[in-house]
Amino acid sequence: MDKNAARVAAWNSDELPFSEPGLAEVVKAATTTTAARKANLSFSTAVDETIRKADLIFVAVETPSGKRDALGYGAAPNLTSFHAVLRHVAKTAEKDFILVNKSTVPVGSAHAAKEIMTPHLRPGIKCHVLSNPEFLAEGTAVSDLTHPDRILIGSDDSEGGKAAAAALASLYSKWVPIDQIITMNSRSSELSKLAANALLAQRISSINALSALCDKMGADITEVSRACGLDHRIGKGMMRSTLGFGGSCFEKDVLHLTSTAAKLGLADVAAYFESVVNINTYQTSRFTENIISQVPSSPTGRRTVVGVLGFAFKPETDDTRCSPAIPVIRDLVLAGYQVNIFDPLVHEAKIQEDLRASLGDNQHKIDEQVFICTDVYEACEGANGIAILNSWSDMRYIPSTDGGNYTTRASNAKVNSISKNAFQLTLSLFAKIIPRMFTPELSLTATSIATSTIEVDDGHIDWERIADGMKNPKYIFDGHNVLDHRLTELGFYIDGVGRPLQTPGFVQETETLSSALNLNGRGFVEKSKVQQLPPSWVQFIPVAE
Ligand code: UDX
């Protein structure tokens, strides 16, 4: 069975080929005929037959970043899959159809798509191309689908174009209020997709740039973010400072916009958007450098161990594309650390594959220095530091006195039926699904995903057990500012992003420090070692020549 066939077989099974909360239930409901409703979703490798039957054909292929542009700004997307699909659809169609493009493409692509398809169409066959960008975020894709902020439909100005847009609007109107379905010209719609991601990414880079200031000045970025977000003109969304954004969209789309601006001769605009990506890279390096300075790598003897929690680019997904975990782990490995990794959803083979690609000529170091663990405790056992690189909900600390207040994971999003479709939906329904069907290199097998969710069964991580197993000082580098500061009660130092270091208290600090610096409890620090201290310790600890 080839990879596409295997992937489609997975869609037709009980184990979908990737992890997305609530999706299995939607797929099950839509593919099963019951007394109440007829199945209206199917997955098939019979592409030609499916195209021939379709009134609306959704295209949702990946358009990954291509090479860096020669002009030196950004990177245009690689449209190979998109163009291949256009030609195939045009050659195969036997009746008029509407092509709905959900892939993120350069502005002007709807127009270009028509030009590409026209020479391949059979005589008398007419097609219209619509732009219908996708705004789903991973981990919340089902609720984003059922409760979108807006649906954009871009068409050309012709009567036929407008009629095609109305047909698509009527499909969405089965579950989306009509005032949230916005029609516009296809260029505006295509640019809106890039603009939305650039604006979201720019907010995160702004808050991350501010986090660097906080780290220098003793301010707390979570307080600054809250203070600013309460201004309704600024708003609260996308204002969390983290170790940097990841995922397949933000960097790619900002680089795409950057490259477009540069090609149009708008060098200042290109430089502005490029800086959004530069700050992101800086933030991730800053996070790693902080680990290296607080928990220095041992030059001789046993390797210093960092336990990494989270490898996917965000919680509730097994997607690792552009995950900031990859450069963090790469740089730790290159600096000589042993890295123990746990992620509840990402398969070991995928972690290995990503790290090998990232380490290139140094990939042999993985065998010696990287351990992929089956639970958080294994990853943290004997660690000198822990790095939280994504934050699944079970990371909360529940002191025993609060035990009864624990709330379980958010239940899966409510599933709306989309059974009243007036048209046959054929090539694609959900963006984020289809790109992976058409891009074998990004496929993940679903088979082993369920194996490692062990410690979430009883609700939350047992931080006391982790504290017991760690070396002193017990440093946690919280790349998402998610940890409860009461964890310091257990002797942890919590070093968030853009936040003052949280310490366990003076007495424990000196003890921990003494053992960390091998001072045998003498209670002072040699001047030469002061640099190794976290800044907040310096004021308390006697320094000797
Ligand atoms: C994003 C857009 O949100 C979505 O509309 C678009 O269709 C695709 O790109 P996605 O990449 O799935 O979705 O995830 P998102 O939740 O936006 O997070 C992206 C990255 O930003 C993650 O690495 C996340 O950790 C980071 N992030 C998010 C922050 O660093 N701070 C924030 O405040 C929010």
Side-chain angles (χ1 to χ4, degrees):
M1 205 191 288
D2 73 16
K3 279 187 175 172
N4 275 335
R7 206 167 297 113
V8 169
W11 280 106
N12 285 318
S13 77
D14 284 337
E15 280 195 49
L16 303 188
F18 64 87
S19 175
E20 181 64 42
L23 185 60
E25 290 81 349
V26 176
V27 170
K28 187 92 192 157
T31 51
T32 311
T33 295
T34 62
R37 70 183 296 285
K38 232 174 124 197
N40 66 339
L41 175 67
S42 61
F43 299 94
S44 166
T45 51
V47 176
D48 293 0
E49 187 189 326
T50 314
I51 291 170
R52 284 195 284 267
K53 284 196 268 179
D55 300 304
L56 284 171
I57 299 176
F58 284 63
V59 178
V61 294
E62 270 219 325
T63 51
S65 278
K67 289 202 182 86
R68 282 276 177 168
D69 281 358
L71 287 172
Y73 284 117
N78 179 338
L79 299 176
T80 312
S81 305
F82 181 62
H83 289 159
V85 167
L86 294 180
R87 284 191 293 270
H88 193 97
V89 168
K91 282 181 195 160
T92 311
E94 289 180 354
K95 61 176 182 174
D96 296 351
F97 63 94
I98 299 169
L99 188 123
V100 182
N101 177 39
K102 298 203 74 68
S103 303
T104 304
V105 289
V107 176
S109 289
H111 180 76
K114 183 123 189 223
E115 305 264 295
I116 290 170
M117 287 196 293
T118 302
H120 298 289
L121 291 170
R122 285 163 209 244
I125 302 288
K126 288 199 286 299
C127 78
H128 290 286
V129 181
L130 300 175
S131 159
N132 177 215
E134 186 49 70
F135 295 103
L136 305 183
E138 293 182 38
T140 54
V142 172
S143 57
D144 293 344
L145 175 76
T146 52
H147 297 96
D149 285 340
R150 76 303 203 189
I151 298 292
L152 301 190
I153 301 176
S155 70
D156 63 35
D157 272 348
S158 68
E159 283 308 308
K162 287 183 178 157
L168 182 59
S170 126
L171 169 63
Y172 277 111
S173 70
K174 307 295 181 231
W175 77 96
V176 181
I178 200 76
D179 58 350
Q180 284 168 239
I181 304 173
I182 301 165
T183 52
M184 56 181 65
N185 92 44
S186 55
R187 287 169 191 265
S188 304
S189 165
E190 287 159 346
L191 182 57
S192 298
K193 168 67 191 189
L194 295 175
N197 276 350
L199 288 168
L200 294 172
Q202 168 263 314
R203 278 172 75 89
I204 300 171
S205 279
S206 292
I207 206 76
N208 282 342
L210 288 165
S211 80
L213 286 172
C214 288
D215 277 332
K216 289 278 182 209
M217 299 190 300
D220 182 331
I221 194 64
T222 62
E223 293 174 350
V224 175
S225 171
R226 179 158 180 263
C228 296
L230 285 171
D231 182 329
H232 72 276
R233 296 166 304 174
I234 298 173
K236 296 175 190 166
M238 300 313 241
M239 288 276 275
R240 274 188 307 110
S241 182
T242 62
L243 76 161
F245 59 73
S248 62
C249 296
F250 283 170
E251 181 174 312
K252 170 178 83 79
D253 292 351
V254 176
L255 291 176
H256 178 166
L257 202 57
T258 302
S259 122
T260 304
K263 283 179 188 147
L264 294 170
L266 305 172
D268 291 333
V269 178
Y272 173 74
F273 284 115
E274 180 105 32
S275 73
V276 170
V277 172
N278 291 343
I279 287 287
N280 198 51
T281 309
Y282 160 77
Q283 182 77 347
T284 307
S285 315
R286 205 166 78 78
F287 181 80
T288 316
E289 280 161 19
N290 185 45
I291 298 177
I292 292 173
S293 78
Q294 303 286 30
V295 185
S297 168
S298 150
T300 53
R302 265 179 67 92
R303 287 188 196 281
T304 306
V305 179
V306 176
V308 161
L309 304 187
F311 189 84
F313 83 98
K314 65 189 264 192
E316 307 286 6
T317 178
D318 54 6
D319 191 346
T320 62
R321 286 175 290 174
C322 294
S323 173
I326 297 171
V328 170
I329 296 168
R330 177 199 62 207
D331 292 349
L332 290 174
V333 168
L334 290 176
Y337 290 80
Q338 175 183 320
V339 185
N340 298 343
I341 306 168
F342 172 69
D343 186 293
L345 295 174
V346 184
H347 187 249
E348 172 170 354
K350 183 65 187 150
I351 297 178
Q352 291 271 2
E353 179 191 321
D354 288 344
L355 292 181
R356 287 192 190 286
S358 169
L359 277 155
D361 291 346
N362 286 299
Q363 57 177 279
H364 58 276
K365 292 182 187 276
I366 294 174
D367 300 334
E368 267 179 41
Q369 290 172 242
V370 173
F371 293 84
I372 296 163
C373 303
T374 51
D375 63 40
V376 280
Y377 308 107
E378 189 188 350
C380 300
E381 181 65 33
N384 302 84
I386 296 174
I388 295 192
L389 305 190
N390 86 31
S391 55
W392 61 93
S393 53
D394 310 81
M395 287 202 175
R396 284 165 295 168
Y397 170 53
I398 316 294
S400 43
T401 46
D402 289 11
N405 293 339
Y406 182 73
T407 49
T408 51
R409 290 156 75 92
S411 61
N412 288 331
K414 198 173 136 227
V415 175
N416 271 6
S417 160
I418 48 174
S419 58
K420 292 178 237 153
N421 292 354
F423 297 88
Q424 290 170 305
L425 285 181
T426 54
L427 258 188
S428 145
L429 186 55
F430 308 106
K432 306 286 179 188
I433 299 172
I434 303 301
R436 297 180 190 203
M437 293 171 65
F438 281 104
T439 50
E441 71 278 9
L442 290 170
S443 72
L444 301 173
T445 49
T447 44
S448 56
I449 281 169
T451 56
S452 51
T453 48
I454 312 156
E455 83 296 340
V456 303
D457 289 348
D458 68 346
H460 62 277
I461 289 174
D462 180 350
W463 286 105
E464 287 182 31
R465 183 172 162 195
I466 290 180
D468 285 347
M470 267 184 88
K471 298 245 164 45
N472 286 322
K474 302 177 200 303
Y475 251 93
I476 310 185
F477 301 94
D478 183 358
H480 283 261
N481 291 336
V482 284
L483 291 187
D484 186 332
H485 284 173
R486 288 174 299 174
L487 272 171
T488 53
E489 291 167 8
L490 302 179
F492 287 113
Y493 294 82
I494 301 179
D495 202 354
V497 177
R499 309 189 77 180
L501 180 74
Q502 299 298 309
T503 64
F506 171 60
V507 177
Q508 279 175 330
E509 270 174 10
T510 45
E511 285 168 4
T512 313
L513 178 72
S514 299
S515 80
L517 299 182
N518 198 16
L519 296 176
N520 302 322
R522 283 183 293 159
F524 62 86
V525 182
E526 287 160 33
K527 205 167 183 181
S528 60
K529 293 193 170 167
V530 166
Q531 285 297 331
Q532 295 178 27
L533 300 180
S536 68
W537 293 10
V538 176
Q539 57 186 314
F540 298 120
I541 293 177
V543 176
E545 287 299 329

